[in-house]
């Protein structure tokens, strides 16, 4: 619901924005980090901030311990800082799930997306399980049909998938994640040879960071699709979508019309932000985002 906090915490979105802007001044890479965090939260057990939990009541491994989240999903401290400010000003009102959603919108706007209204009222989940991650979060070598099926189960279409992976217009991947593909003879044959060479050069240590968009990796723009369509995708998954006839069609349209991509991106993000949300009396409003109350 829009304006959900109007009565009890009208400054909620403002506070999230202030903390984000303050931190982006020190580290612009937090914007892509938050955009990724949001998608990883929503795709696994819905947008319930389950990704933030350090432990779960059953004592099992939590989502953030699962390999695809592992050490490379960032932004937890930033969300903690937002939550602390919010608890100081309006205790027990604003959910961690809504904080992530507001921060995601503001990070996207910071990197160039037009602004849009975020519906709120999500409540925080009571559990987080690493074993839920595997079948819900695509990884770079997930086949196209499997990615489509995962998104379909969440109510998202192939077009949503292709539109959303355009988020790889911002941010970076770790060399350790893409090395296998870059140095695999058969897989790298499918890449633009100059690009592959350049990426191999940049990928000498596993912790080196490689931009998805070699030209504008701090800016959301639809030029990333030209890279994907020209065999210059860093991730196998983005390359596979560019090779898929339907994916290819959609990418061509998005590359040619940035305004249309922005619109579709906003629509798909709003739909992603509504996946399996908890409302009313479900879940809780956590006092701290890393632990259940
Ligand atoms: C559907 C298939 C997807 C796959 C296989 C995938 C995979 C990845 C991988 C491997 C990384 C690099 C992680 C690292 O090495 O640090 C990454 C980064 C990123 N992903 Fe995706 N992703 C997918 C979809 C999405 C979606 C739907 C979004 C958001 C709408 C998204 C947003 C991002 C962003 C912004 C980054 C950069 C993070 C940073 O710079 O810290 N991805 N993704």
């Amino acid at each position: 619901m829009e304006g959900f906090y109007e009565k009890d915490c009208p400054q909620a979105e403002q506070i999230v924005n202030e903390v984000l802007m303050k931190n982006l001044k020190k580290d612009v890479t937090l914007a892509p980090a938050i955009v990724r965090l949001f998608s990883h939260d929503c795709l696994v057990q819905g947008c319930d901030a389950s990704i933030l939990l350090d432990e779960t009541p059953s004592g099992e491994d939590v989502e953030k311990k699962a390999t695809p989240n592992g050490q490379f999903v960032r932004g937890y401290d930033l969300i903690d800082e937002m939550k602390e400010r919010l608890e100081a000003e309006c205790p027990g009102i604003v959910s961690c799930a809504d904080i992530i959603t507001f921060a995601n919108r503001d990070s996207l706007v910071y990197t160039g997306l037009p602004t849009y209204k975020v519906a709120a009222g999500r409540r925080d989940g009571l559990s987080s399980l690493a074993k839920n991650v595997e079948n819900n979060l695509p990884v770079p070598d997930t086949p196209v049909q499997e990615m489509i099926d995962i998104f379909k189960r969440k109510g998202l279409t192939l077009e949503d998938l292709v539109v959303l992976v355009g988020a790889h217009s911002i941010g970076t991947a770790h060399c350790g994640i893409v090395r296998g593909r870059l140095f695999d003879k058969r897989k790298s044959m499918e890449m633009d040879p100059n690009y592959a060479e350049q990426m191999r050069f940049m990928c000498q240590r596993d912790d080196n960071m490689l931009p998805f968009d070699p030209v504008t990796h701090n800016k959301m723009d639809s030029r990333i699709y030209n890279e994907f369509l020209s065999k210059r995708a860093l991730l196998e998954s983005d390359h596979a979508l560019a090779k898929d006839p339907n994916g290819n069609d959609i990418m061509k349209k998005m590359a040619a019309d940035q305004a249309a991509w922005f619109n579709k991106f906003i629509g798909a993000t709003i739909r992603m932000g509504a996946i399996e949300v908890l409302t009313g009396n479900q879940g809780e409003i956590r006092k701290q985002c890393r632990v259940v109350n």
Side-chain angles (χ1 to χ4, degrees):
M1 182 165 65
E2 273 171 33
F4 184 78
Y5 295 114
E6 222 154 71
K7 200 167 121 278
D8 296 330
C9 192
Q11 68 275 43
E13 292 185 46
Q14 180 62 31
I15 292 174
V16 168
N17 187 266
E18 274 171 27
V19 177
L20 179 69
M21 291 305 147
K22 187 188 91 183
N23 282 276
L24 284 172
K25 273 194 192 133
K26 291 181 277 183
D27 180 4
V28 291
T29 74
L30 282 167
I34 292 295
V35 172
R36 185 160 193 241
L37 178 75
F38 168 76
S39 69
H40 284 219
D41 182 37
C42 292
L43 290 173
V44 182
Q45 200 179 289
C47 312
D48 66 344
S50 50
I51 194 168
L52 302 180
L53 290 176
D54 282 343
E55 53 195 61
T56 195
S58 68
E60 291 165 85
D61 271 354
V62 287
E63 285 177 28
K64 60 165 69 149
K65 286 227 176 120
T67 321
N69 289 325
Q71 63 204 108
F72 297 138
V73 172
R74 302 175 296 132
Y76 301 118
D77 295 342
L78 176 58
I79 302 291
D80 285 343
E81 192 182 334
M82 292 167 174
K83 179 64 172 170
E84 244 170 65
R85 276 274 314 270
L86 285 162
E87 285 301 295
E89 298 206 23
C90 7
I93 302 293
V94 184
S95 69
C96 301
D98 279 343
I99 296 176
I100 302 177
T101 314
F102 293 142
N104 174 62
R105 187 263 319 273
D106 292 359
S107 298
L108 289 166
V109 170
Y110 178 80
T111 50
L113 207 75
T115 194
Y116 59 97
K117 286 200 163 36
V118 166
R122 295 168 194 76
R123 299 191 34 108
D124 298 324
L126 301 172
S127 67
S128 171
L129 293 172
K131 64 183 180 210
N132 283 345
V133 173
E134 204 179 308
N135 297 323
N136 288 305
L137 215 52
V139 288
D141 62 357
T142 303
V144 168
Q145 191 54 48
E146 219 172 288
M147 285 196 268
I148 296 174
D149 291 344
I150 290 176
F151 273 61
K152 199 171 167 193
R153 287 204 305 272
K154 321 273 167 197
L156 299 173
T157 63
L158 165 67
E159 183 178 84
D160 291 329
L161 167 64
V162 176
V163 162
L164 286 169
V165 298
H168 293 153
S169 168
I170 52 171
T172 52
H174 286 77
C175 170
I177 299 282
V178 292
R179 158 183 292 283
R181 173 170 184 244
L182 294 176
F183 289 91
D184 179 296
K185 235 187 170 157
R186 187 181 55 81
K187 289 186 177 175
S188 63
M189 284 262 285
E190 291 199 18
M191 300 169 81
D192 167 336
N194 289 331
Y195 175 78
E197 192 49 46
Q198 195 190 347
M199 291 301 123
R200 276 193 291 267
F201 178 74
M202 289 170 72
C203 190
Q204 294 180 15
R205 288 168 42 114
D206 275 0
D207 54 0
N208 283 0
M209 315 281 265
L210 281 57
F212 290 115
D213 181 341
V215 184
T216 55
H217 73 276
N218 287 322
K219 203 158 179 37
M220 282 289 278
D221 45 25
S222 74
R223 70 171 307 289
I224 191 64
Y225 291 111
N226 286 325
E227 301 289 332
F228 297 164
L229 293 165
S230 312
K231 304 188 172 179
R232 293 192 295 266
L234 195 51
L235 296 185
E236 197 176 338
S237 48
D238 292 336
H239 177 68
L241 285 170
K243 262 197 343 187
D244 176 84
N246 297 319
N248 187 281
D249 248 20
I250 299 166
M251 284 194 187
K252 280 189 185 139
K253 287 188 188 121
M254 299 300 103
D257 188 348
Q258 177 158 287
W261 175 58
F262 280 164
N263 262 330
K264 286 187 186 285
F265 193 93
I266 290 170
T269 301
I270 290 171
R271 282 193 290 285
M272 184 156 65
I275 297 174
E276 299 159 36
V277 294
L278 304 172
T279 55
N281 294 326
Q282 297 168 316
E284 63 181 11
I285 305 295
R286 274 180 223 151
K287 293 190 176 71
Q288 283 181 41
C289 292
R290 290 172 185 268
V291 281
V292 297
N293 292 344

